[in-house]
Amino acid sequence: EFPLTESTYSIGRDPKCDIRLFSQFVSRRHATLVRRYRDDGSIYYKIVDGNLKGKPSANGLLINGKKLQAHDLQDEDEVVFGPQVSAKYYLLKREPGSTGPLDEFDITMISPGMMIGEPEE
C-alpha cells in the first residue's frame, strides 16, 4: 500500500525511483504518476509510460487490459508493468459524516509484494 501525497512519482526498477518495483521485466524508469485536478477541485492521478521527458519504458503499460501510453486513473484501475508485476489504483471514499476534508491522502496505489522495502525471503 502506497498512499499518494506528492505531485509526481517515478515508478521503476531504479533505486532512485519514488516507487520501486523489483522485477527484471520493469524498466529503470517505467512510468510516472502526475497529480491532476478536476474542474470540481477533486484530485486524481494520471499515469504516463516512461519518464516525463518522453522516453518510454521497454514493455509499456497495460491498463485494464489495454496497452496505453497514458491514462487518467480511476478507482480500481489495474496497471500491469510486466509479468507478475501489477498495481491496483484505489480512490478511497470516506463515509458520510467523517471528520476532515477529502484530500490527497484518500488516494492509494497498491501492488502486493512489489513495492519498496526488503525483498521477501
Side-chain angles (χ1 to χ4, degrees):
E1 191 169 312
F2 197 92
L4 302 176
T5 58
E6 301 297 324
S7 60
T8 61
Y9 290 91
S10 57
I11 302 172
R13 203 177 66 237
D14 191 309
K16 294 178 183 169
C17 283
D18 301 309
I19 301 173
R20 189 167 175 205
L21 303 177
F22 295 89
S23 171
Q24 65 185 3
F25 300 108
V26 173
S27 296
R28 286 184 302 143
R29 297 282 178 155
H30 201 100
T32 306
L33 286 174
V34 181
R35 182 171 55 202
R36 298 310 246 325
Y37 295 89
R38 292 187 179 88
D39 291 338
D40 66 3
S42 62
I43 295 170
Y44 70 97
Y45 279 83
K46 178 177 199 147
I47 190 164
V48 179
D49 183 40
N51 63 26
L52 291 180
K53 296 176 184 171
K55 183 178 180 189
S57 67
N59 292 328
L61 296 172
L62 201 63
I63 303 165
N64 300 325
K66 296 178 184 174
K67 190 160 186 154
L68 300 172
Q69 292 293 318
H71 178 72
D72 293 343
L73 290 168
Q74 298 176 25
D75 191 38
E76 297 193 19
D77 278 350
E78 182 180 28
V79 180
V80 177
F81 300 94
Q84 299 178 353
V85 185
S86 65
K88 200 146 193 180
Y89 178 83
Y90 290 101
L91 178 58
L92 302 179
K93 295 170 179 55
R94 292 191 175 196
E95 294 298 318
S98 68
T99 59
L102 187 65
D103 60 24
E104 62 266 34
F105 293 105
D106 294 306
I107 300 172
T108 303
M109 191 150 188
I110 298 173
S111 178
M114 298 307 298
M115 292 304 185
I116 268 184
E118 296 298 317
E120 293 184 14
E121 296 178 30

